[in-house]
Amino acid sequence: MRENVQLKLNGKPVSLEVDPGRPLLWVLRYDLGLTGTKYGCGEGHCGACTVLVEGSAVRSCLLRVGAVAGKEVTTIEGLARGSELHPVQKAFAEHDALQCGYCTPGMILNAVSLLRNIPRPTRSQIIETMEGNLCRCGAHKRIIEAIESAAQAMGGGQR
Amino acid sequence: MKRHDGKQRNIYDEYLERDFTDAPESEGLALPLDRRQFLQLAGGGIAVAFCIPGSLLAQQRGRRGGEGQQLPEDFNAFLRIGEDGRVTGFTGKVELGQGIITSLAQMLADELDVPLESVDMVMGDTDLCPWDRGTFGSMTTRFFGPPFRAAAAEAKAVLVELAAEKLGVTKDRLKTRDGAVYDDAGQKKVTYAELAKGKKILRHLKGAPVEKPGEFTLVGKGLDRRDAVEKVTGRAKYAGDIREPGMLCARILRPPSHDAKFLRVDTSAAREVAGTQVVQDGDLIAVLHESPDLAEQALARLKPEYDQPAASVDDRTIFDHLLKVAPPGETVAEGGNLGAGQSAAHHVVENTYLNSYVAHAPMEPHTALAKVEGNKVTIWASTQTPFALKDEAASLLGLPAQNVRVITPYVGGGFGGKSNNRQALEAVRLAKLTGKPVQVAWTRAEEFFYDTFRPAAVVKVRAGVTEAGLISFWDYGVYFAGERGSQHFYDIPNHRTVAYSGGWTGVPGSHPFATGPWRAPANNTNTFARESHIDALAAKAGIDPVEFRLKNLKDPRMRRVLEAAAKKFGWSPAKAPSGRGYGVACGTDVGTVVAHIAEVAVNKQTGSVRVKRVVCAQEMGLCVNPEGARIQMEGCITMGLGYALAEEIKFAGGKIHDSNFDTYTLPRFSWLPEIETVIVDAKESPAQGGGEPAVICMGGVLANAVFDATGARVLQLPMTPERIKAALARV
Ligand code: FES
Ligand code: FES
C-alpha cells in the first residue's frame, strides 16, 4: 500500500514512501520528526494539529498524507525565517498569549492563515476564525490581542 | 500516601533540624538527601539549598489545610555555581505554563550578575533535582521568585567572600559584574569559575524569605522568555515529543466502562497488521507499532469480550446516590445557637445545590515514554508529580527507587489531573515486557476515561435573615466536594458547617470512577453554593446584593475587594432581580480574597447565556508580579466559564459517554467576556496564592447574574440552556 508521496515541506522538497491513507499528523510527528504539530483530539475538534497547506490552515489529524502530494506544507517549525520570528510568533511571545504552550502552534498557524486571507481582521473575524481552536489554560484574551497586534505590525501586508 | 500523614511529617521535620547530617532512612523515607548524597547531586562548586513552598502543601499536611499555609523548613531546590562558572537552578517543580523556567533563569542572572546565556534551569528531573512533593495548581511566581533570589544572594555573598580572600581585598571594596568579582579600582578580577573551581561549598537557607516589592525585577516577558520562544517555534519538547531509538508506540485495550469485567480477547486479526507486536500480560493488553496510527489500526482489530453489569447510577441519579452513601459528617466550623438564629429569622431560605463531574481536559493528554535497560529505568512523563512516579515505578518493577529516573519535559497543562501517573506506569510495564522503549500517549478518549474528575457534589444550605436584613443563622452541609472553601466569612452569629466525606476522592461505593483535585479543589462547589444562597437571602430581604453582603460582612479584606469590584464595575444598587443581568460573588482561597461582578444576557427562548463582562478584584497580599497575577486571573475566569455554563461528564454507571470535545464543551473564543482585573494592594501582608482564587466565584457570580436577569435561580452547575429553561419555567 506504500506509495511515493512528494511534497514541499517547510520550503524543502520531501519524498516519502508511505501509505497515503495515513493522517498527515502522524507522518509529520513520527516519520519526519516534526513534533511541533500537536495531537489534542484526533477528530478535528481542537485545532492543536493545524498546519498550513498552500498557506491555508488545515487540521492534519484529518488530512491523509496522500492529499498533500505536490503541495506546499508549512508546520510551526517552518514559520520563522532563521532566527527571525514570524510577526504572529513574535506577537504571541510579546503578549504572553500562551501558558502551557500546547495549543500554541495550532493557534499561531490558524492566525497566520487568517491574516493571509484577511490582513486587517475585525475582532469578530478573529473570534470567528479562532473559534475552533481550544485552549484549556484560558489564554484567549491575550491570543486575540496578539493577533490584533500582529495584524498591525504586518501593516495589512504579507510577510 | 504515607509521607503525607502527621507522623511522617514530624520525622521529616526532625530530620531536617539536623541539617543534612547523616540520618537513617527510617520508615522508608525517600525524603531529603544526606549531606554526602547532596554533594554528589550538586557536584563541585558552590551550592545553596533552599525551599520553594508548594501551593497545596498545607492541605496535604492536615485536614484544615488550604488556608494559612506554613512554610516548610526543608529544601526542594538548590542552585549551583559550577566549576565552569555556569549557574544552574535545580527544582523538582515542573513547568506547567507558569513560565518560570525562563523567569527564574532571568532572576538568577540578575541577582548574580551573569549573562542570561550562562544560566540553566533543571526542573522535574528526579536524578538531578531534590525531592519535591509535586507541582499543584497553577503556581504563580510568588512561590518561586523570592527563595530563588535569596539563594542567589547567598551564593553571591559566598563568591564575594572567596574573592576577598583570593584577591586580598576587603569585601566592601568588591563588586560583581559579568560572572566575575572586581575590586573597586578595577585592578583585580577573579571569575566565578576560578572561585568555584575545586570547591565543595554548601549553604542551606532555612525558611522562605519574602520579596520586597521594589526588588522584584522578574520580567519574564516577551522575547526574553525562553519558553515563549521555544513554544512559538514548536521547539518546546513535551513528553510525546521525545524519541528514543527503537521506540514503539503502544495502544492499550480499554474496557468499555469502569465496571466492565474482562472475559477474553481474540488478538489474531491484530497480529496480521505488519510491524505490530501484541502484548498480553494479565489485564494489560496492548498493541505496539512504530507509528501510533498503525498501532491504532491494529487495536481496532482486537476482538475483546466483556461482562457489562447494568448501570446503577447515571449523571441524573448520582446526587441521590451520593446523599444515600454519604458517611457521617464532620463539623468544620460552628458557633452560636442555630435554634436561636431560626427564631430570630424573618425569612428562611433552604436550597440544595448540585454540581456535576468536570474533566481536567488539559490540551496535552497524559503521555509518557519509558525505557528499561537492565535494572535501570528512565521515564519521560507529562506529570505534576515526578517523584511520586519514581517511587511508583520502582515498586511496580520491584527495584530500588534510585534505579528509576523521571524526566519531566514541558507539561501541556495539568490543573490537578496530572498527579495521576497511570500512563507512565503503563509505559514502564510495556517497556519491561517488550525490552524496547515504549511511548504511551493517551488518546482524547482515554484522557476522558481515566481522568480523575472533579467530583459531583451536593450542598444543602438552610439560612435565615432578620427583618433588619441581617443573617441570623447559617446551616451548611457539603457532600463529596471537599471542605476547602466551605466555611463562610460573613458575620453570622449562629452557624454550622458540616462536611460529609471531606475529600474529593470520595469513599468506597460513592463515585463510579476516579475523582480528584481540580483547580481550587472543592472551593468552586462551595463558593457556588454559598454565594448563590447569600444572594437568595438578599433577594428575600429585598436588599441590593452588594449592599446585603457589606451589611453582613466585617472581614476588612473581603469588604475591600468587594468595594473595589463594585467601583470598577460601576455598580448601582438595585434589588434583584433587576433585569440588568448583574451578579456578584465573593470567595477566598489559598489565603487570597476575591470578588467578582458579572453582567450576562439570557436568551429566555433558548436558555442560553452570554457573559458580557466580568470584573474581578483580588487581594493576594503582596503582589510580586502583577502582570503574572493578571494572566492567572484571566485564565481562571475564562476556564471558569466552562464549569459554570457547559462542562459536565455524562455517564451511565462506569461508562463515560464523553470521549472528545464534540460533546464535552470547553470555553471558546466567542464566549470570552470583557475581562477586567483589579489587584487590591496589600503590600504590608505576605504574598498569597494567585493561580486558583479567581476560578472559584465563576459559578456563583454567573448564577446570581442569571437570577438578576430573569428571576430564575439555577441550583445546578453547569447552567446549561435546559437547566436555565427549567428554572425559568419555575418562576
Ligand atoms: S488533533 Fe486535530 S483537531 Fe484536534
Ligand atoms: S496555553 Fe495551555 S492550552 Fe493553550
Side-chain angles (χ1 to χ4, degrees):
Chain A
M1 294 177 299
R2 285 183 174 232
E3 279 174 23
N4 180 258
V5 174
Q6 303 195 3
L7 62 145
K8 201 164 162 201
L9 180 59
N10 296 331
K12 293 196 192 89
V14 169
S15 172
L16 290 164
E17 293 303 319
V18 67
D19 172 355
R22 290 182 55 205
L24 177 62
L25 170 64
W26 303 120
V27 176
L28 287 171
R29 287 185 54 79
Y30 289 86
D31 298 37
L32 295 166
L34 292 176
T35 56
T37 308
K38 300 298 185 213
Y39 166 92
C41 71
E43 296 179 6
H45 305 305
C46 77
C49 64
T50 302
V51 298
L52 301 180
V53 178
E54 302 287 320
S56 292
V58 179
R59 303 200 155 180
S60 65
C61 68
L62 295 180
L63 190 67
R64 300 165 56 248
V65 62
V68 297
K71 303 221 164 121
E72 173 149 18
V73 175
T74 307
T75 67
I76 191 70
E77 290 92 344
L79 199 57
R81 285 193 188 142
S83 64
E84 189 206 330
L85 297 181
H86 186 283
V88 175
Q89 290 175 308
K90 217 167 146 186
F92 267 63
E94 282 171 354
H95 285 259
D96 279 319
L98 54 97
Q99 291 182 33
C100 79
Y102 196 80
C103 69
T104 309
M107 291 281 179
I108 289 176
L109 289 170
N110 200 23
V112 168
S113 167
L114 162 71
L115 297 182
R116 179 172 177 265
N117 297 328
I118 313 174
R120 296 178 197 278
T122 61
R123 185 162 274 221
S124 60
Q125 284 171 321
I126 294 176
I127 289 170
E128 204 180 298
T129 306
M130 301 304 292
E131 186 71 353
N133 283 61
L134 299 178
C135 172
R136 187 47 153 176
C137 299
H140 303 70
K141 180 174 188 273
R142 287 169 195 256
I143 291 172
I144 294 174
E145 289 162 2
I147 297 172
E148 284 173 343
S149 112
Q152 263 204 341
M154 290 162 72
Q158 300 300 315
R159 192 182 64 147
Chain B
M1 293 256 295
K2 221 173 154 200
R3 70 165 64 100
H4 294 324
D5 68 32
K7 190 159 164 260
Q8 293 268 352
R9 268 311 298 182
N10 290 337
I11 293 164
Y12 186 20
D13 288 341
E14 263 171 45
Y15 175 66
L16 286 152
E17 292 298 289
R18 282 178 268 158
D19 195 12
F20 312 141
T21 47
D22 285 330
E25 284 254 310
S26 53
E27 301 191 22
L29 273 180
L31 285 179
L33 311 146
D34 61 33
R35 182 184 287 273
R36 184 178 42 81
Q37 285 173 314
F38 177 76
L39 285 171
Q40 260 169 22
L41 186 72
I46 300 160
V48 180
F50 57 99
C51 176
I52 300 167
S55 64
L56 296 186
L57 212 58
Q59 196 131 34
Q60 293 176 332
R61 283 200 200 171
R63 298 192 66 247
R64 291 286 173 279
E67 319 290 333
Q69 308 168 62
Q70 294 167 318
L71 301 178
E73 290 180 325
D74 49 312
F75 80 100
N76 57 5
F78 68 94
L79 68 84
R80 180 185 70 200
I81 320 284
E83 294 186 71
D84 54 359
R86 285 192 75 77
V87 178
T88 313
F90 297 83
T91 168
K93 300 275 180 225
V94 306
E95 172 68 54
L96 296 161
Q98 326 89 312
I100 50 175
I101 195 158
T102 305
S103 50
L104 291 180
Q106 234 161 1
M107 182 179 284
L108 294 181
D110 260 28
E111 187 71 36
L112 281 160
D113 297 318
V114 295
L116 185 58
E117 304 79 67
S118 51
V119 181
D120 301 305
M121 286 295 302
V122 177
M123 301 178 70
D125 184 326
T126 61
D127 261 18
L128 303 179
C129 306
W131 188 87
D132 183 86
R133 254 185 201 79
T135 311
F136 301 103
S138 44
M139 305 166 82
T140 61
T141 43
R142 72 140 178 154
F143 297 111
F144 299 94
F148 259 90
R149 183 178 285 283
E154 178 71 18
K156 189 155 94 176
V158 174
L159 287 165
V160 170
E161 269 168 43
L162 292 172
E165 220 171 278
K166 190 148 195 157
L167 300 176
V169 178
T170 55
K171 279 193 290 185
D172 55 324
R173 292 190 42 217
L174 292 172
K175 291 201 166 45
T176 53
R177 176 160 41 90
D178 246 351
V181 187
Y182 295 82
D183 74 342
D184 54 2
Q187 308 281 318
K188 299 179 175 173
K189 166 195 168 181
V190 58
T191 64
Y192 291 178
E194 289 165 330
L195 291 170
K197 190 134 196 70
K199 298 279 187 322
K200 272 189 188 292
I201 295 178
L202 171 65
R203 292 282 174 97
H204 182 210
L205 279 188
K206 292 225 173 186
V210 175
E211 188 88 9
K212 291 180 208 77
E215 292 176 359
F216 200 82
T217 56
L218 190 162
V219 267
K221 269 190 71 75
L223 298 176
D224 297 339
R225 261 185 66 170
R226 224 178 286 186
D227 75 320
V229 174
E230 284 180 35
K231 285 171 178 176
V232 300
T233 52
R235 286 204 303 269
K237 293 272 185 261
Y238 299 79
D241 302 336
I242 310 293
R243 298 287 177 268
E244 279 287 306
M247 180 182 102
L248 293 176
C249 301
R251 295 284 287 108
I252 299 169
L253 181 67
R254 303 300 184 186
S257 77
H258 287 279
D259 45 5
K261 293 250 167 349
F262 173 75
L263 299 175
R264 62 191 75 83
V265 62
D266 176 357
T267 60
S268 50
R271 290 178 197 275
E272 286 162 16
V273 177
T276 301
Q277 192 175 341
V278 179
V279 167
Q280 186 164 5
D281 179 44
D283 60 337
L284 179 70
I285 298 144
V287 290
L288 299 101
H289 194 282
E290 278 174 26
S291 304
D293 49 319
L294 296 174
E296 175 77 34
Q297 279 180 19
L299 183 81
R301 291 168 154 235
L302 291 178
K303 295 191 195 75
E305 284 172 59
Y306 293 90
D307 197 16
Q308 177 63 61
S312 57
V313 61
D314 62 26
D315 45 80
R316 287 172 185 275
T317 58
I318 185 70
F319 304 104
D320 287 338
H321 164 76
L322 289 177
L323 288 175
K324 222 176 287 159
V325 301
E330 279 184 51
T331 303
V332 178
E334 64 185 327
N337 177 318
L338 287 180
Q342 285 196 52
S343 333
H346 188 65
H347 303 286
V348 171
V349 180
E350 183 168 2
N351 279 334
T352 299
Y353 300 91
L354 309 174
N355 76 221
S356 303
Y357 295 97
V358 173
H360 293 90
M363 291 315 296
E364 176 205 31
H366 282 65
T367 303
L369 166 62
K371 187 169 78 171
V372 179
E373 292 164 310
N375 57 5
K376 283 268 185 200
V377 184
T378 310
I379 308 166
W380 293 260
S382 60
T383 176
Q384 295 178 241
T385 52
F387 284 88
L389 171 57
K390 175 187 165 108
D391 293 346
E392 289 158 5
S395 79
L396 178 75
L397 297 182
L399 292 172
Q402 74 248 29
N403 290 22
V404 180
R405 177 180 188 182
V406 177
I407 299 170
T408 317
Y410 286 117
V411 180
F415 317 109
K418 284 183 182 155
S419 312
N420 168 21
N421 293 317
R422 181 188 181 110
Q423 94 287 9
L425 298 174
E426 291 174 341
V428 168
R429 253 176 102 180
L430 289 168
K432 174 82 184 166
L433 288 164
T434 60
K436 299 253 176 64
V438 173
Q439 182 193 71
V440 172
W442 282 359
T443 62
R444 184 53 61 185
E446 290 172 294
E447 185 70 23
F448 272 108
F449 189 74
Y450 286 118
D451 193 8
T452 49
F453 300 119
R454 188 184 86 176
V458 180
V459 182
K460 294 183 167 206
V461 200
R462 192 162 181 274
V465 62
T466 65
E467 223 169 344
L470 297 173
I471 305 170
S472 63
F473 79 98
W474 181 261
D475 192 2
Y476 185 100
V478 52
Y479 298 78
F480 291 97
E483 67 184 57
R484 178 158 152 188
S486 62
Q487 291 187 50
H488 72 81
F489 38 77
Y490 292 95
D491 187 28
I492 305 174
N494 310 295
H495 66 102
R496 178 174 62 187
T497 300
V498 181
Y500 300 84
S501 174
W504 33 78
T505 47
V507 294
S510 54
H511 303 297
F513 29 71
T515 58
W518 191 98
R519 201 172 192 175
N523 210 337
N524 294 302
T525 303
N526 283 313
T527 298
F528 162 63
R530 182 191 60 249
E531 292 303 302
S532 294
H533 210 72
I534 294 286
D535 232 55
L537 292 174
K540 262 278 194 273
I543 303 174
D544 168 77
V546 171
E547 191 190 324
F548 182 78
R549 282 176 172 78
L550 289 171
K551 208 174 157 80
N552 285 282
L553 198 51
K554 281 214 182 93
D555 182 317
R557 294 178 70 207
M558 197 62 81
R559 288 184 69 95
R560 264 179 89 195
V561 291
L562 179 54
E563 280 160 356
K567 181 161 172 245
K568 178 82 182 178
F569 185 84
W571 184 273
S572 56
K575 82 189 239 270
S578 71
R580 301 178 299 184
Y582 293 178
V584 57
C586 305
T588 174
D589 191 60
V590 289
T592 290
V593 293
V594 285
H596 289 49
I597 297 185
E599 179 183 355
V600 303
V602 181
N603 181 326
K604 292 190 186 172
Q605 261 70 53
T606 63
S608 70
V609 178
R610 163 101 191 102
V611 184
K612 293 159 83 175
R613 192 177 167 212
V614 177
V615 170
C616 173
Q618 175 164 305
E619 194 256 83
M620 51 196 301
L622 168 69
C623 177
V624 278
N625 182 358
E627 196 59 12
R630 282 182 207 283
I631 292 174
Q632 295 286 347
M633 289 163 79
E634 291 162 10
C636 281
I637 289 166
T638 309
M639 188 179 192
L641 295 170
Y643 81 78
L645 298 175
E647 287 182 44
E648 84 184 289
I649 290 293
K650 299 275 189 182
F651 65 94
K655 172 141 188 65
I656 312 289
H657 293 319
D658 294 288
S659 61
N660 214 319
F661 296 125
D662 49 347
T663 59
Y664 190 91
T665 314
L666 299 189
R668 292 172 181 275
F669 281 92
S670 66
W671 300 22
L672 196 68
E674 216 178 291
I675 297 175
E676 292 155 82
T677 52
V678 183
I679 295 174
V680 176
D681 208 26
K683 287 203 174 63
E684 65 288 353
S685 36
Q688 305 291 344
E692 299 172 294
V695 77
I696 64 176
C697 289
M698 289 306 291
V701 75
L702 297 185
N704 294 342
V706 167
F707 176 78
D708 189 55
T710 63
R713 179 145 305 278
V714 186
L715 300 171
Q716 181 170 1
L717 292 183
M719 294 183 286
T720 57
E722 295 69 43
R723 291 194 183 116
I724 288 183
K725 280 197 283 186
L728 282 166
R730 286 194 299 266
V731 174

